[in-house]
Amino acid sequence: MRLDSSGLQVLSREECLRLLSSAPIGRIVFTDRALPAVQPVNFCLDGESVVIRTSIGSKLAAATRHAVVAFEADEFDPATRTGWSVTAVGHARAVSDPAETARLATLPLSPWAPGSRDHFVVVEAEQVSGRRIARERSI
Amino acid sequence: MRLDSSGLQVLSREECLRLLSSAPIGRIVFTDRALPAVQPVNFCLDGESVVIRTSIGSKLAAATRHAVVAFEADEFDPATRTGWSVTAVGHARAVSDPAETARLATLPLSPWAPGSRDHFVVVEAEQVSGRRIARERSI
């Protein structure tokens, strides 16, 4: 088990993608008017891409257009102070091809927030990294 | 109850700070080598500032020095598809004053990750925003 300089376990790409696929909610990190911005979203992993459903006029759709963004998911247990986090960094793109939109619409991805959200944003997981905090005794 | 353009409930600054103070984990959002970066951390709210404990040589300490960062915490329930998120944006500063360091060391903030973490980073919550997704019936 490889540890990073902070003593956290370094997760493999395969483990990162497995954990990402288990998370119901992630956070998309982008730049909004030159300031760091972060927004929780429900999502679906499609192969090695993160798929998000939003409305075409949303701030998220505008801010992530042709941008490199980060996408993070995690799960921590305050009682045992253990958990994991995974971050994927890559180009975001708005899906405009009707055939791709139709395929993505079949994914198990229904929006939590109210309103029409028929616009898909895909983040290619180009760089994936993950860490795990295990119980101190086992480190 | 004010709703935003996505139909989410807009939280007041007071409600945002109350929710932040209840969260054990948040995520600091910054720029690392010109790319968006995000790292989960445990934290403590000190008045209206977010206090994080790290090691002086950490990537987090270096990347947040004199930077404007975002700090996000949330809590969602996948079963009911409800929850909240709060984001604070502000200047991060490394604490160098020994008196302030001594005071911050008395906060209930012990690091989850292993290793020595005697360096404090404070994020002033200059802009605070929060949203809540309630049950669809009640919106």
Side-chain angles (χ1 to χ4, degrees):
Chain A
M1 184 70 67
R2 192 158 72 86
L3 301 183
D4 71 6
S5 61
S6 301
L8 306 181
Q9 295 178 4
V10 178
L11 303 177
S12 68
R13 182 178 178 95
E14 291 66 34
E15 179 73 352
C16 288
L17 292 170
R18 191 187 65 74
L19 289 167
L20 263 190
S21 72
S22 76
I25 280 276
R27 295 145 203 102
I28 192 156
V29 170
F30 55 102
T31 301
D32 181 32
R33 288 165 292 182
L35 288 176
V38 49
Q39 187 173 319
V41 286
N42 65 315
F43 73 104
C44 184
L45 204 62
D46 178 43
E48 299 199 345
S49 299
V50 171
V51 181
I52 296 160
R53 202 163 169 159
T54 184
S55 56
I56 196 159
S58 68
K59 189 172 78 172
L60 187 64
T64 58
R65 203 161 285 147
H66 309 301
V68 173
V69 305
F71 185 81
E72 190 262 1
D74 59 44
E75 191 178 305
F76 291 100
D77 178 354
T80 57
R81 299 184 148 212
T82 58
W84 59 265
S85 75
V86 169
T87 302
V89 176
H91 286 81
R93 65 181 174 85
V95 175
S96 57
D97 174 46
E100 188 177 11
T101 299
R103 188 181 70 77
L104 295 178
T106 67
L107 292 174
L109 176 64
S110 64
W112 289 23
S116 170
R117 288 163 191 273
D118 296 332
H119 181 65
F120 290 96
V121 172
V122 172
V123 179
E124 311 289 348
E126 290 156 27
Q127 293 176 29
V128 178
S129 60
R131 296 289 184 273
R132 186 189 294 278
I133 304 188
R135 296 189 193 189
E136 288 207 9
R137 279 185 199 85
S138 69
I139 287 179
Chain B
M1 184 68 69
R2 191 158 74 85
L3 302 183
D4 72 5
S5 61
S6 300
L8 305 181
Q9 296 177 5
V10 178
L11 303 177
S12 68
R13 182 178 177 94
E14 291 66 33
E15 180 74 349
C16 287
L17 292 171
R18 190 187 67 74
L19 290 167
L20 263 190
S21 71
S22 75
I25 281 277
R27 295 146 203 102
I28 192 155
V29 170
F30 55 102
T31 301
D32 182 32
R33 287 165 292 181
L35 288 175
V38 49
Q39 187 172 318
V41 286
N42 65 315
F43 73 105
C44 185
L45 203 62
D46 179 42
E48 299 199 345
S49 298
V50 172
V51 181
I52 296 160
R53 201 164 170 159
T54 184
S55 56
I56 195 158
S58 67
K59 189 172 77 173
L60 187 64
T64 58
R65 202 161 286 146
H66 310 301
V68 174
V69 304
F71 185 81
E72 189 263 1
D74 60 43
E75 191 178 305
F76 291 99
D77 178 355
T80 58
R81 299 184 150 213
T82 58
W84 59 265
S85 75
V86 168
T87 302
V89 176
H91 285 82
R93 64 181 174 85
V95 175
S96 56
D97 174 44
E100 188 178 10
T101 299
R103 189 181 71 76
L104 295 178
T106 66
L107 292 174
L109 177 64
S110 64
W112 290 22
S116 169
R117 287 163 192 274
D118 296 333
H119 181 65
F120 291 96
V121 172
V122 172
V123 178
E124 311 290 348
E126 291 156 25
Q127 293 176 30
V128 178
S129 60
R131 296 290 184 274
R132 186 189 294 278
I133 305 188
R135 294 190 195 190
E136 289 207 8
R137 280 185 200 87
S138 70
I139 289 179

